[in-house]
Amino acid sequence: MQELVSTLERRKFFILKLLALFALLALVFNFFFTLSPPTYFDGKYNMYFVYALIVYKIIELFIIYYILMHRHILFLKKNRVTKKFEAKLTKHTKLLLFLIIQGNTVFGVIAFKLSANVLFFLLFTCIALVALLLFNPKKLL
């Protein structure tokens, strides 16, 4: 179990660096290029869609954290670790770390395109940063 925790810590640190790189790339892109928001329906609903993405992502992060991590922590408090459970836990925690960065990056790009404002991409990056900082693999021990 200690090996899993150290692997998750290294993966978490790598993803934090990757988030910083994505934020820097977004700022550089915004500096050199200008985006215009799409004009479907005269662009009236673009910001509503962006706000819905923000709310959805926050709710989704709580749900996937519970499904992929928290329920395993509760199980570990009552039961002992088996090889099958450890394999499942490894798979789920790696998936959680992947989904945090992947989902927030995709939603950030969509929000950036819909609003033509890089701050929305940075907001999704900050949401991913907070989720990663709250993710504590040492709770598994």
Side-chain angles (χ1 to χ4, degrees), residues 21-37:
L21 175 68
F22 287 165
L24 183 65
L25 287 174
L27 290 172
V28 169
F29 181 85
N30 188 53
F31 183 74
F32 287 110
F33 300 102
T34 304
L35 284 180
S36 58

PDB file of all heavy atoms in Angstrom, residues 21-37:
ATOM      1  N   LEU A  21       1.723  24.302 -16.612  1.00  0.00           N
ATOM      2  CA  LEU A  21       2.102  24.427 -18.015  1.00  0.00           C
ATOM      3  C   LEU A  21       0.900  24.800 -18.875  1.00  0.00           C
ATOM      4  O   LEU A  21       0.988  25.687 -19.734  1.00  0.00           O
ATOM      5  CB  LEU A  21       2.731  23.121 -18.518  1.00  0.00           C
ATOM      6  CG  LEU A  21       3.071  23.076 -20.005  1.00  0.00           C
ATOM      7  CD1 LEU A  21       4.216  24.030 -20.309  1.00  0.00           C
ATOM      8  CD2 LEU A  21       3.402  21.662 -20.420  1.00  0.00           C
ATOM      9  N   PHE A  22      -0.243  24.160 -18.652  1.00  0.00           N
ATOM     10  CA  PHE A  22      -1.447  24.484 -19.412  1.00  0.00           C
ATOM     11  C   PHE A  22      -1.888  25.927 -19.180  1.00  0.00           C
ATOM     12  O   PHE A  22      -2.304  26.614 -20.108  1.00  0.00           O
ATOM     13  CB  PHE A  22      -2.589  23.530 -19.064  1.00  0.00           C
ATOM     14  CG  PHE A  22      -2.441  22.148 -19.618  1.00  0.00           C
ATOM     15  CD1 PHE A  22      -3.217  21.116 -19.131  1.00  0.00           C
ATOM     16  CD2 PHE A  22      -1.529  21.851 -20.618  1.00  0.00           C
ATOM     17  CE1 PHE A  22      -3.110  19.830 -19.632  1.00  0.00           C
ATOM     18  CE2 PHE A  22      -1.402  20.565 -21.130  1.00  0.00           C
ATOM     19  CZ  PHE A  22      -2.202  19.562 -20.631  1.00  0.00           C
ATOM     20  N   ALA A  23      -1.820  26.378 -17.940  1.00  0.00           N
ATOM     21  CA  ALA A  23      -2.193  27.762 -17.641  1.00  0.00           C
ATOM     22  C   ALA A  23      -1.253  28.737 -18.346  1.00  0.00           C
ATOM     23  O   ALA A  23      -1.699  29.748 -18.916  1.00  0.00           O
ATOM     24  CB  ALA A  23      -2.172  27.992 -16.134  1.00  0.00           C
ATOM     25  N   LEU A  24       0.027  28.434 -18.325  1.00  0.00           N
ATOM     26  CA  LEU A  24       0.996  29.289 -19.005  1.00  0.00           C
ATOM     27  C   LEU A  24       0.755  29.303 -20.514  1.00  0.00           C
ATOM     28  O   LEU A  24       0.789  30.369 -21.143  1.00  0.00           O
ATOM     29  CB  LEU A  24       2.414  28.813 -18.693  1.00  0.00           C
ATOM     30  CG  LEU A  24       3.549  29.648 -19.268  1.00  0.00           C
ATOM     31  CD1 LEU A  24       3.548  31.037 -18.662  1.00  0.00           C
ATOM     32  CD2 LEU A  24       4.867  28.957 -19.025  1.00  0.00           C
ATOM     33  N   LEU A  25       0.487  28.137 -21.092  1.00  0.00           N
ATOM     34  CA  LEU A  25       0.190  28.066 -22.522  1.00  0.00           C
ATOM     35  C   LEU A  25      -1.069  28.850 -22.875  1.00  0.00           C
ATOM     36  O   LEU A  25      -1.134  29.498 -23.924  1.00  0.00           O
ATOM     37  CB  LEU A  25       0.053  26.616 -22.967  1.00  0.00           C
ATOM     38  CG  LEU A  25       1.338  25.808 -23.066  1.00  0.00           C
ATOM     39  CD1 LEU A  25       1.029  24.344 -23.379  1.00  0.00           C
ATOM     40  CD2 LEU A  25       2.266  26.387 -24.100  1.00  0.00           C
ATOM     41  N   ALA A  26      -2.074  28.795 -22.030  1.00  0.00           N
ATOM     42  CA  ALA A  26      -3.308  29.548 -22.280  1.00  0.00           C
ATOM     43  C   ALA A  26      -3.040  31.051 -22.250  1.00  0.00           C
ATOM     44  O   ALA A  26      -3.564  31.797 -23.084  1.00  0.00           O
ATOM     45  CB  ALA A  26      -4.369  29.179 -21.254  1.00  0.00           C
ATOM     46  N   LEU A  27      -2.221  31.482 -21.310  1.00  0.00           N
ATOM     47  CA  LEU A  27      -1.894  32.909 -21.242  1.00  0.00           C
ATOM     48  C   LEU A  27      -1.092  33.356 -22.461  1.00  0.00           C
ATOM     49  O   LEU A  27      -1.334  34.435 -23.014  1.00  0.00           O
ATOM     50  CB  LEU A  27      -1.140  33.215 -19.952  1.00  0.00           C
ATOM     51  CG  LEU A  27      -1.963  33.119 -18.672  1.00  0.00           C
ATOM     52  CD1 LEU A  27      -1.062  33.260 -17.457  1.00  0.00           C
ATOM     53  CD2 LEU A  27      -3.052  34.164 -18.668  1.00  0.00           C
ATOM     54  N   VAL A  28      -0.151  32.538 -22.886  1.00  0.00           N
ATOM     55  CA  VAL A  28       0.637  32.868 -24.076  1.00  0.00           C
ATOM     56  C   VAL A  28      -0.272  32.888 -25.316  1.00  0.00           C
ATOM     57  O   VAL A  28      -0.181  33.796 -26.145  1.00  0.00           O
ATOM     58  CB  VAL A  28       1.800  31.863 -24.253  1.00  0.00           C
ATOM     59  CG1 VAL A  28       2.459  32.007 -25.613  1.00  0.00           C
ATOM     60  CG2 VAL A  28       2.818  32.057 -23.144  1.00  0.00           C
ATOM     61  N   PHE A  29      -1.137  31.898 -25.444  1.00  0.00           N
ATOM     62  CA  PHE A  29      -2.066  31.859 -26.570  1.00  0.00           C
ATOM     63  C   PHE A  29      -2.949  33.096 -26.581  1.00  0.00           C
ATOM     64  O   PHE A  29      -3.179  33.695 -27.629  1.00  0.00           O
ATOM     65  CB  PHE A  29      -2.919  30.592 -26.502  1.00  0.00           C
ATOM     66  CG  PHE A  29      -3.890  30.460 -27.637  1.00  0.00           C
ATOM     67  CD1 PHE A  29      -3.483  29.904 -28.832  1.00  0.00           C
ATOM     68  CD2 PHE A  29      -5.200  30.889 -27.513  1.00  0.00           C
ATOM     69  CE1 PHE A  29      -4.363  29.781 -29.892  1.00  0.00           C
ATOM     70  CE2 PHE A  29      -6.089  30.777 -28.555  1.00  0.00           C
ATOM     71  CZ  PHE A  29      -5.676  30.219 -29.755  1.00  0.00           C
ATOM     72  N   ASN A  30      -3.459  33.475 -25.416  1.00  0.00           N
ATOM     73  CA  ASN A  30      -4.321  34.639 -25.319  1.00  0.00           C
ATOM     74  C   ASN A  30      -3.563  35.921 -25.677  1.00  0.00           C
ATOM     75  O   ASN A  30      -4.145  36.849 -26.237  1.00  0.00           O
ATOM     76  CB  ASN A  30      -4.907  34.741 -23.911  1.00  0.00           C
ATOM     77  CG  ASN A  30      -5.965  35.815 -23.820  1.00  0.00           C
ATOM     78  OD1 ASN A  30      -6.911  35.818 -24.601  1.00  0.00           O
ATOM     79  ND2 ASN A  30      -5.801  36.722 -22.879  1.00  0.00           N
ATOM     80  N   PHE A  31      -2.294  35.977 -25.370  1.00  0.00           N
ATOM     81  CA  PHE A  31      -1.488  37.163 -25.670  1.00  0.00           C
ATOM     82  C   PHE A  31      -1.266  37.324 -27.172  1.00  0.00           C
ATOM     83  O   PHE A  31      -1.322  38.431 -27.696  1.00  0.00           O
ATOM     84  CB  PHE A  31      -0.143  37.073 -24.934  1.00  0.00           C
ATOM     85  CG  PHE A  31       0.725  38.278 -25.114  1.00  0.00           C
ATOM     86  CD1 PHE A  31       0.429  39.467 -24.468  1.00  0.00           C
ATOM     87  CD2 PHE A  31       1.824  38.225 -25.953  1.00  0.00           C
ATOM     88  CE1 PHE A  31       1.230  40.575 -24.642  1.00  0.00           C
ATOM     89  CE2 PHE A  31       2.636  39.324 -26.134  1.00  0.00           C
ATOM     90  CZ  PHE A  31       2.334  40.515 -25.476  1.00  0.00           C
ATOM     91  N   PHE A  32      -1.035  36.218 -27.867  1.00  0.00           N
ATOM     92  CA  PHE A  32      -0.699  36.290 -29.287  1.00  0.00           C
ATOM     93  C   PHE A  32      -1.894  36.161 -30.231  1.00  0.00           C
ATOM     94  O   PHE A  32      -1.818  36.591 -31.384  1.00  0.00           O
ATOM     95  CB  PHE A  32       0.331  35.213 -29.643  1.00  0.00           C
ATOM     96  CG  PHE A  32       1.700  35.522 -29.120  1.00  0.00           C
ATOM     97  CD1 PHE A  32       2.237  34.770 -28.083  1.00  0.00           C
ATOM     98  CD2 PHE A  32       2.441  36.566 -29.630  1.00  0.00           C
ATOM     99  CE1 PHE A  32       3.497  35.051 -27.587  1.00  0.00           C
ATOM    100  CE2 PHE A  32       3.704  36.854 -29.144  1.00  0.00           C
ATOM    101  CZ  PHE A  32       4.229  36.096 -28.127  1.00  0.00           C
ATOM    102  N   PHE A  33      -2.983  35.560 -29.795  1.00  0.00           N
ATOM    103  CA  PHE A  33      -4.133  35.342 -30.659  1.00  0.00           C
ATOM    104  C   PHE A  33      -5.387  35.916 -30.025  1.00  0.00           C
ATOM    105  O   PHE A  33      -5.499  36.002 -28.804  1.00  0.00           O
ATOM    106  CB  PHE A  33      -4.353  33.846 -30.920  1.00  0.00           C
ATOM    107  CG  PHE A  33      -3.184  33.178 -31.580  1.00  0.00           C
ATOM    108  CD1 PHE A  33      -2.314  32.393 -30.842  1.00  0.00           C
ATOM    109  CD2 PHE A  33      -2.955  33.334 -32.931  1.00  0.00           C
ATOM    110  CE1 PHE A  33      -1.229  31.779 -31.443  1.00  0.00           C
ATOM    111  CE2 PHE A  33      -1.875  32.724 -33.548  1.00  0.00           C
ATOM    112  CZ  PHE A  33      -1.008  31.945 -32.798  1.00  0.00           C
ATOM    113  N   THR A  34      -6.333  36.274 -30.864  1.00  0.00           N
ATOM    114  CA  THR A  34      -7.611  36.794 -30.396  1.00  0.00           C
ATOM    115  C   THR A  34      -8.715  35.834 -30.818  1.00  0.00           C
ATOM    116  O   THR A  34      -8.817  35.470 -31.986  1.00  0.00           O
ATOM    117  CB  THR A  34      -7.890  38.177 -31.004  1.00  0.00           C
ATOM    118  OG1 THR A  34      -6.805  39.046 -30.694  1.00  0.00           O
ATOM    119  CG2 THR A  34      -9.178  38.760 -30.459  1.00  0.00           C
ATOM    120  N   LEU A  35      -9.515  35.438 -29.874  1.00  0.00           N
ATOM    121  CA  LEU A  35     -10.656  34.572 -30.150  1.00  0.00           C
ATOM    122  C   LEU A  35     -11.917  35.411 -30.177  1.00  0.00           C
ATOM    123  O   LEU A  35     -12.042  36.398 -29.440  1.00  0.00           O
ATOM    124  CB  LEU A  35     -10.823  33.518 -29.061  1.00  0.00           C
ATOM    125  CG  LEU A  35      -9.883  32.333 -29.048  1.00  0.00           C
ATOM    126  CD1 LEU A  35     -10.233  31.420 -27.890  1.00  0.00           C
ATOM    127  CD2 LEU A  35      -9.950  31.564 -30.334  1.00  0.00           C
ATOM    128  N   SER A  36     -12.829  35.011 -30.998  1.00  0.00           N
ATOM    129  CA  SER A  36     -14.147  35.646 -30.953  1.00  0.00           C
ATOM    130  C   SER A  36     -15.153  34.551 -30.602  1.00  0.00           C
ATOM    131  O   SER A  36     -15.076  33.433 -31.126  1.00  0.00           O
ATOM    132  CB  SER A  36     -14.495  36.277 -32.296  1.00  0.00           C
ATOM    133  OG  SER A  36     -14.478  35.317 -33.313  1.00  0.00           O
ATOM    134  N   PRO A  37     -16.074  34.859 -29.721  1.00  0.00           N
ATOM    135  CA  PRO A  37     -17.036  33.824 -29.317  1.00  0.00           C
ATOM    136  C   PRO A  37     -17.942  33.455 -30.482  1.00  0.00           C
ATOM    137  O   PRO A  37     -18.203  34.275 -31.363  1.00  0.00           O
ATOM    138  CB  PRO A  37     -17.821  34.484 -28.187  1.00  0.00           C
ATOM    139  CG  PRO A  37     -17.525  35.917 -28.239  1.00  0.00           C
ATOM    140  CD  PRO A  37     -16.276  36.104 -29.013  1.00  0.00           C
TER     141      PRO A  37
END
